[in-house]
Amino acid sequence: MRTDLCDLLGIDHPIVGFSPSEHVVAAISRAGGLGVLGAVRFNDAAELDTVLTWLDRETGGRPYGVDVVMPSTVPTEGLPEDLNAMVPSGHHEFVERTLLRLGVPPLSAAQDRPGVLGWLHSVARAHVEVALNHPIRLIANALGPPPPDVISQAHDRGVLVAALAGRADHARSHVRSGVDIVVAQGYEAGGHTGEIAGMVLVPEVVDAVHVPVLAAGGIGSGRQIAAALALGARGVWMGSLWLGTTEYQSGHALREALLRATSSDTVRSRIYSGKPARLLRNRWTDAWSAQGAPAVLPMPLQNLLVSAAHDRLMASGDPTVVPMPVGQIVGRMNEVRPVAAVLSDLVTEADETLGRLHKLL
Amino acid sequence: MRTDLCDLLGIDHPIVGFSPSEHVVAAISRAGGLGVLGAVRFNDAAELDTVLTWLDRETGGRPYGVDVVMPSTVPTEGLPEDLNAMVPSGHHEFVERTLLRLGVPPLSAAQDRPGVLGWLHSVARAHVEVALNHPIRLIANALGPPPPDVISQAHDRGVLVAALAGRADHARSHVRSGVDIVVAQGYEAGGHTGEIAGMVLVPEVVDAVHVPVLAAGGIGSGRQIAAALALGARGVWMGSLWLGTTEYQSGHALREALLRATSSDTVRSRIYSGKPARLLRNRWTDAWSAQGAPAVLPMPLQNLLVSAAHDRLMASGDPTVVPMPVGQIVGRMNEVRPVAAVLSDLVTEADETLGRLHKLL
């Protein structure tokens, strides 16, 4: 299976794989897809720089990309201390009370670290600056088109720009802003997601724009890749599936939670970032939808509020509370395997499906 | 494009079309698909009998089916008067107040008719009894498997039984109950629907059961049919699309509302029947999600509560209030055309897509 996306990105298979793990990203690119590193977790741009230098080496000259989180309208900005002061004390109390009730211990001094700042526009800009000094093929933005000067800088260096869209009108506006590839992210996807399911969204976006479209959301098998291509996508964007690979070095609790979850065990909620995102449903997400839970704060305050709690939840080792964006495809993640084996199976099944479909003619 | 569903049902194209309109149903069957008549609107089984007699003639010997609404657990049953007495007066007041505020006039004496009783188990049973005296090929149930004796009666007469499922475990249980065909109905679908989008649900259901699976939800083009086949479905079940055909003799208001709506203009709500169903979003559905709206009642009380209001809303001629179950594919319904033309385009585009996909190998 080859589409023109393969030529555009210099890859063997029209599979773009997003991961916050550089180990997963390197393995995807080495296996003939395009690995895209999620940069939001890097508070310090120098740390991102080090990881990208590692990727330059470990991808062995294969193309890769970087994903940042830049809302198209710049949200509240400021120093972490000042922003923290904007979080109502009742919200902090709710988080503390909930962690106590869920039996989640505090972090040890060694585990404690500052909250995630990658949601801040200034930090995302620093990510872009660092990334553009590496031989990346693609810069992607999870929340629509990056600012015009970022797009210009990328294009000046021959770097393609991709942006996620959950509606056809958004996709149109992304392309007007200069975006080269639209990722049509359906309701079923993990992380930030809209209301329209991929089956409807992908052909709508394909018909709305003249640039290549990647289908995102709910894709974890070759049959689903073939379906995405049938809908007119030139390839797929996959995120959740890699959480279940050997290279994604998660703790035992997350792995356990992912293996146990069915496709019904996710929830679309604003509690992670302030914008609707699909998460693993568990005792932590349930607490936020129970009566008496406070209203979710706008971006970036909500993530500042919960990011220390996320560290505690993750460190607790309890599979019933891990905070994790994941799509409905989590129901298929029932075995931990190396990225190369997963990718090879995807390609084989997609090819078999295209062959099977032809026999129906 | 042919699958083994064509042989099973005796049809030319693996397209099953649901409609409450016998005119649409006859046209679908005549065009080589399987038309399935929604029976819930018939309060009087004799009236259904007359319409099926008409269908026996108008389908010209082509197969067709009937769809009933039978929850697997029998809900509250009783005479309309007794059931009406179970509806809290505050609910009636809310409905009256809302209709007044939306500018919806009362019905004239000529327009007034009793509420829809098809949601009652006893009425649905009468529908089945009538239907089985006609040469139908399929009996479908919108809410899981019909009771065992209904399945036995159908099988005794060589009639296949289909049931909708929104989860793989439900599909498994349907098949254990004797269902011959599972309709995997995704989140994007109109009417009763679950949380899992088709891209994830269809292959899950296909892998969970050994009977043929139809993909339902979000399908309104040949590309989407090809995608459904890629996911492993043997055919598609389509409902919404036919609302925009010449044969669906709706009033001006509904037609206008359907033509205007985008894929973002639906909402999944329990206000129609008491169970989650996707509806056209408008001032009526918004009123039910506004602050101060009463809690939705269980089936069948909610539909008894709103069915007279539905008649008033529909008769008002106002496109901004029409009560109508419809899927996210409504965004594609931008032109009114005859069923035969719609179906022929679906088949042509599906065939073209299968051909295009093969070239990617």
Side-chain angles (χ1 to χ4, degrees):
Chain A
M1 155 193 60
R2 275 189 75 86
T3 72
D4 49 7
L5 186 83
C6 297
D7 303 315
L8 184 65
L9 295 175
I11 53 181
D12 299 332
H13 316 297
I15 297 173
V16 179
F18 164 88
S19 179
S21 156
E22 64 270 25
H23 301 281
V24 171
V25 169
I28 293 170
S29 286
R30 280 200 308 267
L34 187 86
V36 174
L37 182 74
V40 80
R41 73 177 167 93
F42 296 95
N43 284 354
D44 183 354
E47 199 192 333
L48 174 63
D49 198 31
T50 307
V51 167
L52 294 183
T53 303
W54 182 89
L55 269 177
D56 295 340
R57 195 176 62 237
E58 293 294 322
T59 48
R62 296 285 200 149
Y64 74 94
V66 171
D67 179 275
V68 296
V69 181
M70 283 186 159
S72 33
T73 33
V74 177
T76 313
E77 190 68 21
L79 293 172
E81 303 83 287
D82 299 337
L83 289 170
N84 260 326
M86 297 173 69
V87 175
S89 61
H91 280 68
H92 281 300
E93 282 154 28
F94 169 79
V95 168
E96 276 308 315
R97 202 167 58 236
T98 302
L99 292 173
L100 196 67
R101 188 170 59 76
L102 298 178
V104 176
L107 295 176
S108 66
Q111 290 168 317
D112 209 1
R113 58 168 197 133
V116 173
L117 305 178
W119 305 98
L120 295 179
H121 195 73
S122 51
V123 176
R125 278 199 163 263
H127 290 159
V128 169
E129 209 162 296
V130 161
L132 288 177
N133 282 322
H134 288 266
I136 60 171
R137 186 70 192 107
L138 179 82
I139 193 154
N141 187 23
L143 296 171
D149 66 300
V150 169
I151 297 182
S152 301
Q153 278 180 61
H155 286 170
D156 286 350
R157 303 187 190 214
V159 173
L160 295 168
V161 178
L164 268 69
R167 291 169 46 155
D169 52 345
H170 294 174
R172 257 185 233 109
S173 130
H174 294 1
V175 172
R176 275 198 301 271
S177 305
V179 160
D180 306 294
I181 294 174
V182 172
V183 181
Q185 166 116 324
Y187 169 82
E188 54 273 67
H192 292 115
T193 176
E195 276 281 4
I196 308 170
M199 185 66 92
V200 173
L201 179 69
V202 173
E204 275 196 340
V205 172
V206 165
D207 291 349
V209 300
H210 62 275
V211 303
V213 172
L214 303 182
I219 296 173
S221 74
R223 281 176 289 177
Q224 288 158 325
I225 295 175
L229 298 177
L231 296 175
R234 307 299 179 85
V236 294
W237 170 282
M238 298 169 61
S240 301
L241 198 69
W242 318 110
L243 297 173
T245 59
T246 320
E247 287 86 347
Y248 188 78
Q249 294 159 357
S250 70
H252 169 76
L254 173 59
R255 190 150 285 181
E256 196 60 29
L258 294 171
L259 292 175
R260 277 187 206 169
T262 74
S263 55
S264 299
D265 295 324
T266 70
V267 62
R268 189 170 166 269
S269 159
R270 299 197 301 117
I271 68 169
Y272 199 87
S273 72
K275 288 181 184 281
R278 184 171 300 283
L279 312 171
L280 202 54
R281 193 176 66 194
N282 55 29
R283 295 195 300 141
W284 167 248
T285 59
D286 287 349
W288 281 89
S289 54
Q291 219 161 18
V296 169
L297 300 173
M299 189 180 260
L301 300 181
Q302 179 67 20
N303 192 267
L304 279 177
L305 167 65
V306 295
S307 71
H310 285 176
D311 287 345
R312 275 176 67 175
L313 291 160
M314 204 55 105
S316 74
D318 179 353
T320 70
V321 297
V322 284
M324 183 50 63
V326 74
Q328 293 184 334
I329 197 65
V330 69
R332 284 277 171 169
M333 292 156 57
N334 302 321
E335 200 189 350
V336 176
R337 299 169 65 218
V339 165
V342 169
L343 210 136
S344 158
D345 281 2
L346 290 172
V347 172
T348 304
E349 191 183 297
D351 283 348
E352 281 169 5
T353 305
L354 300 181
R356 168 172 65 76
L357 289 176
H358 194 244
K359 296 202 187 84
L360 301 178
L361 270 177
Chain B
M1 155 192 60
R2 274 190 76 86
T3 72
D4 49 7
L5 186 83
C6 297
D7 304 314
L8 184 65
L9 295 174
I11 53 181
D12 299 332
H13 316 298
I15 296 173
V16 179
F18 164 89
S19 179
S21 156
E22 65 270 25
H23 301 281
V24 171
V25 169
I28 293 169
S29 286
R30 280 199 308 267
L34 186 86
V36 175
L37 183 73
V40 79
R41 72 178 167 91
F42 296 94
N43 284 353
D44 182 356
E47 199 192 333
L48 174 63
D49 198 31
T50 307
V51 166
L52 294 184
T53 303
W54 182 89
L55 269 176
D56 295 341
R57 194 176 64 237
E58 293 295 321
T59 47
R62 296 285 199 146
Y64 74 94
V66 171
D67 180 275
V68 296
V69 180
M70 284 185 159
S72 34
T73 34
V74 177
T76 313
E77 190 70 22
L79 293 172
E81 304 83 289
D82 299 337
L83 289 169
N84 260 325
M86 296 173 68
V87 175
S89 61
H91 280 68
H92 282 299
E93 283 154 29
F94 169 79
V95 167
E96 277 307 315
R97 202 166 58 235
T98 302
L99 292 173
L100 197 66
R101 187 169 62 73
L102 299 179
V104 175
L107 295 176
S108 67
Q111 291 169 318
D112 209 1
R113 58 169 198 132
V116 173
L117 305 178
W119 306 98
L120 294 179
H121 195 73
S122 50
V123 177
R125 279 200 163 262
H127 291 158
V128 169
E129 209 163 296
V130 162
L132 289 176
N133 282 323
H134 289 264
I136 60 171
R137 185 72 193 103
L138 179 82
I139 192 153
N141 187 24
L143 297 172
D149 65 300
V150 169
I151 297 182
S152 301
Q153 278 181 61
H155 286 170
D156 286 350
R157 303 188 189 212
V159 173
L160 295 167
V161 178
L164 270 67
R167 291 170 45 155
D169 52 345
H170 294 174
R172 255 185 234 109
S173 132
H174 293 3
V175 172
R176 273 198 302 271
S177 304
V179 160
D180 306 294
I181 294 174
V182 173
V183 181
Q185 167 115 324
Y187 170 82
E188 55 272 67
H192 292 115
T193 175
E195 276 281 4
I196 308 170
M199 184 67 91
V200 172
L201 179 69
V202 173
E204 274 196 341
V205 172
V206 165
D207 291 349
V209 300
H210 62 274
V211 304
V213 173
L214 302 182
I219 296 173
S221 74
R223 282 176 289 178
Q224 288 158 325
I225 295 175
L229 298 177
L231 296 175
R234 306 297 178 87
V236 294
W237 170 282
M238 297 168 61
S240 301
L241 199 68
W242 319 109
L243 297 173
T245 58
T246 320
E247 286 85 349
Y248 188 78
Q249 295 160 356
S250 70
H252 169 76
L254 173 59
R255 190 150 284 182
E256 195 60 29
L258 294 171
L259 291 175
R260 276 188 205 170
T262 74
S263 55
S264 299
D265 295 325
T266 70
V267 62
R268 188 168 167 271
S269 160
R270 299 198 299 117
I271 67 169
Y272 199 87
S273 72
K275 287 182 184 280
R278 185 171 300 283
L279 312 171
L280 201 54
R281 193 177 66 194
N282 55 29
R283 296 196 300 140
W284 168 247
T285 59
D286 287 349
W288 281 88
S289 54
Q291 220 160 17
V296 169
L297 300 172
M299 188 178 260
L301 300 182
Q302 179 68 20
N303 192 267
L304 279 178
L305 167 65
V306 294
S307 71
H310 284 175
D311 287 344
R312 274 175 68 175
L313 291 161
M314 204 54 107
S316 73
D318 179 353
T320 70
V321 297
V322 284
M324 182 49 63
V326 74
Q328 293 185 334
I329 197 65
V330 69
R332 283 279 170 168
M333 292 158 55
N334 303 319
E335 200 188 351
V336 177
R337 300 169 63 217
V339 165
V342 169
L343 210 137
S344 158
D345 281 3
L346 289 172
V347 172
T348 303
E349 190 183 296
D351 283 349
E352 281 169 4
T353 304
L354 300 182
R356 168 172 65 77
L357 289 176
H358 194 244
K359 296 202 186 86
L360 301 180
L361 270 177

